[in-house]
């Protein structure tokens, strides 16, 4: 992400320091992570101390300070999904992509994350890829689902 | 500014509007233990050690004295069975992180806190925020901040700023109630010289 785009995002929020979290969220959703340069740019432009930006960027789970894949997979391991076999679903994703929760593959294609309840337990086991929910998952469906993502 | 009369530990205390209970007590020579309070800094209310008991219409209530503003006719008790019990617990929890901290040991003796009550996890920092806030509020350097949250929360220097500002300042070192800062600083110093080519 280049500086112009960052400046544009900042302008969208009128360069107000109170919009710090919104600005970071926009960068995160477009770029999938917050590079050091971006954080420094935001701090400078919004005139917020770097320590504060850093605190916020590390506080919320929504932000990532390491590169993320193009597609973010969230596997629910909440109670309801767990008893319906979420662990086995998770295993198939780990095996298929070759990464563990919290990691990203070398091609920056997928990031894997576990969550504790996506709020639709009746559909369990549930996974979510790029915000799209896939319910009633089964280990045998994993390959099929992954095929749809480039 | 109007004068406010209140009662602390049975003593009549005159305070100014806008003062906190802690400040009022201090001005009357009444001691309340604190960890995250510093007179040059904005009240933080982080450690809760300065908790006191208020009595109002026969009810008692616990408030944090370093952030609670004085009110007319308040009846304040800086020590009671309940207050002491809470302080003891706070100290025991903090000593799981910083068992050898001098300040904590002294307070532990006063309140009968057992430093071995909880399993040790010596992270040393008890998140009082004195170093972070001093750097931001007094020195306005913002060289040090917190990162992460909950049990993983820790202090972190910004190498680029630290390499310029900290060497000649170090005023946050003596503020730390657990003396964790030195180690952290040395570590970042190493990091900073590793990452940036030193100027001058
Ligand atoms: S390093 Fe020391 S002064 Fe800084 S927040 Fe931790 S305990 Fe407080
Ligand atoms: S536990 Fe998975 S959606 Fe609720
Ligand atoms: S001194 Fe009041 S909360 Fe720490």
């Amino acid at each position: 992400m280049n500086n112009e785009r960052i400046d544009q995002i900042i302008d969208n929020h009128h360069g107000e320091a109170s919009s710090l979290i919104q600005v970071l969220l926009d960068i995160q959703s477009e770029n999938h992570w917050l590079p050091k340069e971006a954080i420094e740019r935001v701090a400078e432009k919004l005139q917020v101390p770097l320590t504060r930006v850093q605190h916020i960027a590390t506080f919320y789970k929504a932000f990532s300070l390491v590169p993320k894949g193009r597609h973010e997979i969230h596997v629910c391991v909440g109670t309801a999904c767990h008893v319906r076999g979420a662990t086995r679903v998770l295993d198939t994703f780990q095996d298929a992509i070759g990464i563990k929760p919290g990691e990203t593959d070398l091609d920056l294609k997928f990031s894997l994350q576990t969550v504790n309840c996506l709020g639709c337990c009746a559909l369990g086991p549930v996974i979510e890829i790029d915000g799209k929910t896939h319910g009633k998952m089964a280990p045998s469906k994993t390959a099929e689902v992954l095929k749809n993502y480039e | 500014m109007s004068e406010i009369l209140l009662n602390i530990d049975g003593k009549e205390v005159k305070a100014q509007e806008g003062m906190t209970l802690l400040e009022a007590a201090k001005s009357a020579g009444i001691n309340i233990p604190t960890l995250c309070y510093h007179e040059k800094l904005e009240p933080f209310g982080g450690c809760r050690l300065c908790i006191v008991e208020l009595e109002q219409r026969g009810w008692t209530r616990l408030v944090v004295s370093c952030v609670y503003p004085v009110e007319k006719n308040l009846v304040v008790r800086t020590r009671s069975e309940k207050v002491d019990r809470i302080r003891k617990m706070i100290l025991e929890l903090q000593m799981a992180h910083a068992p050898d901290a001098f300040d904590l040991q002294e307070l532990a003796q006063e309140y009968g806190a057992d430093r071995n009550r909880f399993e040790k996890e010596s992270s040393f920092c008890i998140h009082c925020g004195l170093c972070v806030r001093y750097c931001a509020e007094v020195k306005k350097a913002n060289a040090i901040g917190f990162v992460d949250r909950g049990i993983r929360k820790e202090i972190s220097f910004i190498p680029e700023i630290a390499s310029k500002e900290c060497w000649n300042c170090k005023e946050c070192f003596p503020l730390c109630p657990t003396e964790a800062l030195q180690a952290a600083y040395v570590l970042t110093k190493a990091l900073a010289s590793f990452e940036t080519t030193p100027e001058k």
Side-chain angles (χ1 to χ4, degrees):
Chain A
M1 187 174 247
N2 57 25
N3 278 344
E4 272 138 62
R5 183 62 195 129
I6 294 173
D7 291 354
Q8 213 173 358
I9 290 175
I10 292 171
D11 285 343
N12 290 346
H13 294 281
H14 314 293
E16 274 170 36
S18 57
S19 302
L20 174 59
I21 293 181
Q22 288 308 322
V23 169
L24 292 179
L25 278 173
D26 284 0
I27 298 174
Q28 170 76 36
S29 78
E30 226 173 278
N31 196 53
H32 303 294
W33 70 292
L34 304 175
K36 187 167 175 237
E37 298 73 38
I39 287 186
E40 283 169 354
R41 185 87 184 171
V42 170
E44 188 192 314
K45 284 265 162 178
L46 296 184
Q47 304 215 346
V48 175
L50 196 53
T51 43
R52 186 129 106 239
V53 184
Q54 193 177 272
H55 190 189
I56 288 170
T58 54
F59 187 92
Y60 295 104
K61 251 189 151 178
F63 300 122
S64 172
L65 295 179
V66 291
K68 281 271 163 130
R70 291 191 296 286
H71 305 293
E72 287 187 49
I73 306 176
H74 295 270
V75 178
C76 180
V77 291
T79 314
C81 292
H82 179 82
V83 296
R84 292 184 187 201
T87 337
R88 280 184 296 131
V89 173
L90 178 62
D91 283 345
T92 58
F93 276 99
Q94 293 190 147
D95 293 346
I97 315 169
I99 54 173
K100 288 204 197 63
E103 295 179 349
T104 299
D105 65 351
L106 277 182
D107 309 332
L108 294 187
K109 189 170 168 190
F110 291 116
S111 295
L112 188 62
Q113 208 100 59
T114 57
V115 287
N116 302 316
C117 195
L118 287 163
C120 46
C121 311
L123 291 178
V126 182
I127 67 144
E128 199 185 83
I129 304 184
D130 298 342
K132 185 175 181 299
T133 307
H134 300 257
K136 303 245 185 283
M137 277 301 292
S140 59
K141 288 191 190 166
T142 299
E144 193 61 36
V145 170
L146 284 178
K147 245 195 255 163
N148 299 318
Y149 296 91
E150 255 322 300
Chain B
M1 270 214 198
S2 58
E3 209 160 69
I4 291 181
L5 266 181
L6 68 163
N7 181 303
I8 305 180
D9 290 347
K11 203 167 153 183
E12 284 296 316
V13 176
K14 265 195 220 125
Q16 300 296 321
E17 200 181 321
M19 263 182 155
T20 62
L21 286 182
L22 178 67
E23 285 163 346
K26 265 193 191 294
S27 71
I30 298 167
N31 181 48
I32 299 176
T34 61
L35 278 173
C36 70
Y37 170 82
H38 190 285
E39 49 191 31
K40 285 191 190 157
L41 303 177
E42 289 290 311
F44 185 56
C47 72
R48 314 314 255 189
L49 198 70
C50 66
I51 203 155
V52 295
E53 200 172 75
L54 296 187
E55 196 182 309
Q56 268 168 332
R57 286 180 245 111
W59 292 81
T60 60
R61 183 155 82 91
L62 294 163
V63 299
V64 176
S65 67
C66 70
V67 291
Y68 198 93
V70 287
E71 285 165 19
K72 218 165 70 192
N73 300 332
L74 274 186
V75 178
V76 183
R77 271 190 294 271
T78 66
R79 290 198 71 159
S80 73
E81 196 208 321
K82 210 166 179 181
V83 164
D84 282 14
R85 206 170 60 226
I86 292 171
R87 287 190 190 147
K88 173 171 173 278
M89 172 67 105
I90 293 172
L91 290 166
E92 284 169 342
L93 287 166
Q94 284 172 339
M95 287 181 108
H97 293 294
D100 298 319
F102 216 66
D103 294 7
L104 294 182
Q105 277 178 357
E106 219 164 88
L107 285 162
Q109 207 158 37
E110 168 98 24
Y111 289 92
D114 171 9
R115 70 201 273 268
N116 297 316
R117 170 147 178 215
F118 297 106
E119 202 181 319
K120 299 247 171 21
E121 202 184 292
S122 305
S123 56
F124 304 104
C125 178
I126 54 164
H127 302 161
C128 72
L130 282 175
C131 54
V132 171
R133 292 179 293 132
Y134 188 86
C135 191
E137 292 175 31
V138 176
K139 303 301 290 189
K140 309 221 183 315
N142 292 295
I144 180 170
F146 280 121
V147 292
D148 222 315
R149 63 173 160 175
I151 54 166
R152 279 190 300 275
K153 182 168 169 181
E154 57 184 21
I155 52 162
S156 159
F157 285 88
I158 306 268
E160 288 82 351
I161 303 176
S163 63
K164 282 199 217 88
E165 306 279 346
C166 300
W167 204 236
N168 296 320
C169 169
K170 296 186 221 149
E171 284 166 34
C172 60
F173 284 15
L175 300 179
C176 181
T178 76
E179 277 155 303
L181 216 47
Q182 182 86 31
Y185 181 73
V186 171
L187 185 73
T188 342
K189 191 68 179 46
L191 255 175
S193 53
F194 176 67
E195 273 188 17
T196 57
T197 33
E199 291 146 332
K200 74 181 157 175

